[in-house]
Amino acid sequence: MSGVGAPGAARVPPEVVDASIDALKPGLPLGVALSGGADSTALLVACARRWPGQVVALHVNHGLQAAADTFERHCTALCERWQVPLRVGRIDARAQAGESPEEAARLGRYRALAELARAGGNPDGNASGEGQIVHVASTREQLGAVHDIVLGHHADDQIETMILALSRGAGLPGLSAMPSMAERGGLRWHRPFLELPPDTLRVWLRTLGEGWIDDPTNADARYTRNRIRQQVLPALAAAFPQFRQTFARSARHAAQAQELLADLARTDLEHTGTPPGIRALQSLPRCRQANALRAWLAEVSGRAPAARQIDELLDQIAVCTTRGHRIHLKAGNGQVVREGDTLRWYNGAPLPKPPR
């Protein structure tokens, strides 16, 4: 369904969207994550206007719904109008047993976007060599590898992320929601629209006569984000009309506080060593032990441990006063074990000691 020409839409000056793009200072060429929805369509158009000839669109076809090919055709036509080269990755994003469908699609999309960014404009063959992504290009472009990617997340996406974090009892990293810029895997990911409500982007597109495709799954109440969008956000708007601005301010406060905790963890890990020594950990207050251990485990395992895992580990460290005290606890997708006077993390079971 196209978004062009919705009746009664108030006109929004182009400067509202353009100012968000002008504030970006990305490296060029710039990759735009393009799904075909209103938000990413506005992002593609705004970036193409700002950096003509230096933008490449990155589209991931998940193949999860009948409308997937319609989205791809919309993206192809949009890019032809704006003379933007398009790279397409087709992936199998079906969830594995016990995996959330939303999480599987999200992770698959980010992996595919990273592959397409690094593809360097090769229109034939597989970007990764792993048989997971079929790389296609609508035009033979010569922009080469991309190191900066912009994403179309807007203010409501940010609030949904915060509400999900609250529902899971998340700490400051979760309450910080999505950063406006992050570096992962050698790529810089930018979100210039986090301060803008989605209606602003849609009205701006209408001023340019541009359309978009509405994802039919956005109305499916089986998905948690859709229930938040349909039920929770309207109630918040009715009770607290300025909630978008105040939630965004809270997310920024949480992000600043998390930066301070990350700095403190680095300082404490310099004191304990890495891997951390047990006696040095015991010299710290319990809350600083938890902060340092969380940072260490996130670094070595690639994911933050659960709160109950940290609590269990802290309890074991507190009573670890004899040479024979054993520590062997699950943490993330591996185990933390005691080896001599230090803690070590293993991705899987630790190796047995060699025979004497």
Side-chain angles (χ1 to χ4, degrees):
M1 180 171 62
S2 172
V4 173
R11 185 176 179 83
V12 174
E15 291 78 9
V16 174
V17 173
D18 292 338
S20 298
I21 298 301
D22 288 342
L24 273 178
K25 305 298 178 187
L28 299 176
L30 177 65
V32 176
L34 178 65
S35 69
D39 317 315
S40 68
T41 297
L43 185 64
L44 186 282
V45 171
C47 289
R49 284 157 51 106
R50 176 67 178 81
W51 296 287
Q54 292 294 321
V55 172
V56 57
L58 312 173
H59 176 71
V60 179
N61 186 328
H62 296 85
L64 293 175
Q65 54 174 299
D69 291 340
T70 302
F71 274 85
E72 185 175 327
R73 286 192 294 270
H74 165 80
C75 292
T76 300
L78 176 71
C79 290
E80 287 175 353
R81 284 198 301 278
W82 288 92
Q83 299 182 339
V84 172
L86 172 67
R87 302 177 191 174
V88 178
R90 294 190 179 93
I91 63 172
D92 182 355
R94 288 174 295 185
Q96 302 299 314
E99 187 178 22
S100 159
E102 294 167 285
E103 184 69 1
R106 186 184 72 85
L107 293 176
R109 177 172 178 258
Y110 277 107
R111 284 193 295 266
L113 288 172
E115 294 283 356
L116 293 172
R118 299 186 182 105
N122 170 25
D124 304 306
N126 189 312
S128 67
E130 298 175 356
Q132 296 176 348
I133 298 173
V134 178
H135 175 220
V136 183
S138 64
T139 57
R140 289 185 175 269
E141 41 98 358
Q142 303 297 322
L143 291 178
V146 167
H147 300 287
D148 289 69
I149 300 174
V150 285
L151 304 162
H153 296 118
H154 50 65
D156 283 10
D157 293 323
Q158 186 78 313
I159 292 166
E160 291 163 17
T161 301
M162 290 183 70
I163 292 173
L164 281 170
L166 283 167
S167 73
R168 295 166 182 159
L172 286 176
L175 299 180
S176 302
M178 295 179 287
S180 58
M181 197 281 282
E183 295 192 32
R184 292 194 304 272
L187 298 170
R188 289 178 293 273
W189 304 79
H190 306 266
R191 295 180 177 90
F193 290 164
L194 286 181
E195 301 285 331
L196 299 180
D199 287 349
T200 296
L201 302 174
R202 286 161 171 75
V203 174
W204 182 78
L205 280 173
R206 293 184 188 110
T207 67
L208 300 178
E210 276 294 348
W212 62 86
I213 302 294
D214 287 323
D215 187 341
T217 65
N218 285 343
D220 191 338
R222 290 176 299 175
Y223 297 112
T224 306
R225 277 189 179 270
N226 290 347
R227 293 196 300 274
I228 294 172
R229 192 175 306 129
Q230 296 162 13
Q231 301 168 24
V232 179
L233 297 192
L236 283 171
F240 309 105
Q242 302 302 314
F243 80 101
R244 287 183 175 86
Q245 294 92 322
T246 57
F247 273 50
R249 190 159 63 243
S250 292
R252 288 194 297 271
H253 290 330
Q256 290 169 357
Q258 180 55 37
E259 285 183 23
L260 293 175
L261 288 179
D263 285 344
L264 181 60
R266 283 189 287 269
T267 299
D268 285 341
L269 287 172
E270 288 175 5
H271 166 67
T272 66
T274 49
I278 294 171
R279 297 292 177 264
L281 279 169
Q282 290 173 333
S283 71
L284 298 173
R286 184 180 173 101
C287 59
R288 286 175 60 175
Q289 289 182 41
N291 186 51
L293 289 168
R294 194 175 291 111
W296 169 61
L297 289 169
E299 176 68 24
V300 296
S301 70
R303 57 186 291 187
R308 58 176 178 76
Q309 293 172 343
I310 286 289
D311 286 340
E312 251 186 286
L313 183 53
L314 290 171
D315 290 343
Q316 288 299 310
I317 291 169
V319 297
C320 187
T321 57
T322 62
R323 186 180 297 274
H325 186 93
R326 182 173 178 265
I327 296 177
H328 188 154
L329 297 170
K330 180 173 175 57
N333 54 353
Q335 292 87 32
V336 173
V337 300
R338 176 185 181 179
E339 289 187 357
D341 293 328
T342 63
L343 298 176
R344 292 190 181 274
W345 181 85
Y346 288 93
N347 184 11
L351 296 174
K353 290 183 179 179
R356 291 185 178 180

